[in-house]
Amino acid sequence: MNFLGVAVFRTRGVPPRRRRRLVVWALVGALLAAAGLGGVVVWQHTYALREEKVSLRHHGKLLDGVLARPERGEGPFGLVVFVHGDGPTDATHETFYRPMWESFARAGYASLSFSKPGVAGSEGHWLDQSMADRADETLAAVRWARDRPDIDGRRVGLWGASQAGWVLPKVAAEDRRLQFVIAVSPAVNWKRQGRYNLLAELRRDGATAERRDAALRRRETTLRLLEKGASFAEYRAATADPSGMTSARWGFVVRNHRSDATADLRAMRGTPVLLVTAGHDVNVDVAETEAVYRGVLPAASLTVAHYPGATHSLVDRDLERSRWRLTLAAVFAPRKLYTEGFLADQARFVAQRPTGPEAP
């Protein structure tokens, strides 16, 4: 029973006039309590940032975004350009980027993020893109930012998560002026990542051997269909896939299933990279990712930060497993959503980049 319900229940048998006064005071108390909690929520979601709505026209389509600058100063600031993972992501990632933007701001860096095509005010549709399209879009964002007087064009780097692992190396291989790359939970090979994810989720869900074998057979059928460029109708007829695949999603997979970041990683040799991995990642085989990054990139340019208790989203697994705790953290302590050290380690990495004439 809530606070107001308890107060009303306790007025039974009390004279009507006094009962009305008690109910009024109960309402006042409830409003004050709500206002107090509301104040906490507002305070927790107030960040030391100056956010500006921005837009970029790329290949005739408008992209809607946010430039988040440090709270004080006119710059020019260094810049972190955000590259989203999979899904219809808006510029703020439903506000969850803001704790990161704030941590970068405290290191003297602004952050730039655009909503994916077809999301918020951005035109187009994100499922129509290849990884090369996404890289070209990111390069356009970097060029746009370097033209701004409040951005130091020598101190621009990339941050990206998950699917961005196929975008970041393409961009860094093309733009050798980029100062750094932060790759969070990135995969290397699309097909191997898909198999790992499938098996990891089946283990997590306690699937039977029969269910596992059926899922692997369906996967092999899907791969054969992809290799021959089959239509969505052919896919549905051959697999009866229960996973909710749509025609648009199938087209996206057809365009991107051959993605592999290895060659692009080789081409960006020398760009400082912070590789972030999690100990409970069911989406990406982080051991394979780290092995490839260490095998391809010069040791001097690679920093690896591993968080044993975290999941793919860099949230502690115990927190992610509890819906009510996760909700409370998102509402009342959004900076605590991320595993300990994640925000500070990224801010430290960018703060260590050169700031003078020696910056690339």
Side-chain angles (χ1 to χ4, degrees):
M1 188 178 294
N2 61 31
F3 174 77
L4 179 58
V6 170
V8 172
F9 176 78
R10 289 176 178 170
T11 64
R12 290 174 183 171
V14 176
R17 182 176 295 181
R18 188 180 175 201
R19 185 188 305 162
R20 284 195 295 271
R21 286 201 300 268
L22 287 172
V23 171
V24 168
W25 280 111
L27 284 168
V28 171
L31 289 171
L32 287 173
L37 288 175
V40 170
V41 171
V42 170
W43 174 65
Q44 285 291 334
H45 288 265
T46 300
Y47 296 93
L49 297 167
R50 289 175 292 174
E51 292 188 21
E52 176 187 349
K53 290 185 177 181
V54 297
S55 61
L56 165 68
R57 188 161 292 279
H58 180 59
H59 292 330
K61 292 184 172 64
L62 190 71
L63 296 176
D64 175 70
V66 175
L67 176 66
R69 293 177 298 162
E71 194 172 33
R72 294 180 177 83
E74 298 305 317
F77 304 107
L79 180 70
V80 184
V81 178
F82 276 61
V83 182
H84 309 303
D86 195 12
T89 313
D90 75 321
T92 72
H93 203 336
E94 297 180 334
T95 81
F96 291 111
Y97 282 158
R98 287 189 169 112
M100 280 187 277
W101 294 352
E102 184 180 62
S103 68
F104 288 136
R106 287 173 175 158
Y109 279 74
S111 296
L112 176 65
S113 178
F114 287 94
S115 298
K116 279 191 176 183
V119 181
S122 293
E123 298 173 348
H125 200 296
W126 62 277
L127 284 175
D128 293 337
Q129 294 186 305
S130 67
M131 295 301 108
D133 294 332
R134 297 199 60 201
D136 187 56
E137 185 179 276
T138 304
L139 286 163
V142 170
R143 289 192 297 269
W144 175 90
R146 283 192 175 125
D147 286 338
R148 289 182 61 106
D150 54 354
I151 298 301
D152 184 348
R154 302 167 303 168
R155 295 190 296 131
V156 177
L158 307 177
W159 182 98
S162 193
Q163 190 183 95
W166 292 296
V167 181
L168 302 171
K170 288 185 181 298
V171 179
E174 179 71 21
D175 187 344
R176 304 299 296 142
R177 294 176 60 198
L178 286 170
Q179 193 187 39
F180 60 84
V181 168
I182 300 175
V184 179
S185 304
V188 172
N189 179 278
W190 186 288
K191 294 177 185 176
R192 293 198 301 270
Q193 180 268 341
R195 188 176 194 277
Y196 172 87
N197 176 228
L198 173 64
L199 293 175
E201 288 187 348
L202 288 169
R203 284 194 300 271
R204 180 195 62 193
D205 298 341
T208 63
E210 290 79 8
R211 183 182 165 199
R212 175 184 180 275
D213 291 344
L216 287 173
R217 286 194 299 271
R218 187 164 54 246
R219 170 181 163 75
E220 290 304 314
T221 300
T222 300
L223 290 175
R224 287 195 295 271
L225 292 167
L226 287 170
E227 287 304 319
K228 72 171 192 175
S231 68
F232 178 61
E234 291 174 299
Y235 164 78
R236 288 296 299 271
T239 65
D241 188 3
S243 66
M245 177 75 75
T246 65
S247 178
R249 183 74 186 185
W250 177 253
F252 182 77
V253 176
V254 168
R255 278 187 289 277
N256 292 295
H257 73 280
R258 294 187 179 90
S259 296
D260 187 295
T262 308
D264 292 318
L265 285 167
R266 289 197 182 98
M268 58 172 279
R269 289 173 64 89
T271 303
V273 174
L274 173 62
L275 173 64
V276 176
T277 64
H280 297 286
D281 196 329
V282 299
N283 295 71
V284 171
D285 184 346
V286 296
E288 183 204 33
T289 292
E290 182 174 344
V292 171
Y293 273 61
R294 289 192 184 279
V296 171
L297 300 176
S301 70
L302 178 65
T303 302
V304 178
H306 183 68
Y307 302 94
T311 64
H312 183 68
S313 58
L314 273 296
V315 174
D316 282 338
R317 183 176 65 166
D318 291 342
L319 178 60
E320 192 171 279
R321 282 178 165 180
S322 173
R323 180 170 296 181
W324 72 268
R325 286 180 59 207
L326 188 65
T327 301
L328 285 175
V331 173
F332 292 105
R335 296 167 182 83
K336 298 292 186 182
L337 276 173
Y338 296 108
T339 196
E340 185 175 357
F342 173 60
L343 296 180
D345 291 344
Q346 292 182 117
R348 188 178 305 111
F349 177 77
V350 299
Q352 291 170 348
R353 300 307 101 201
T355 58
E358 69 274 20

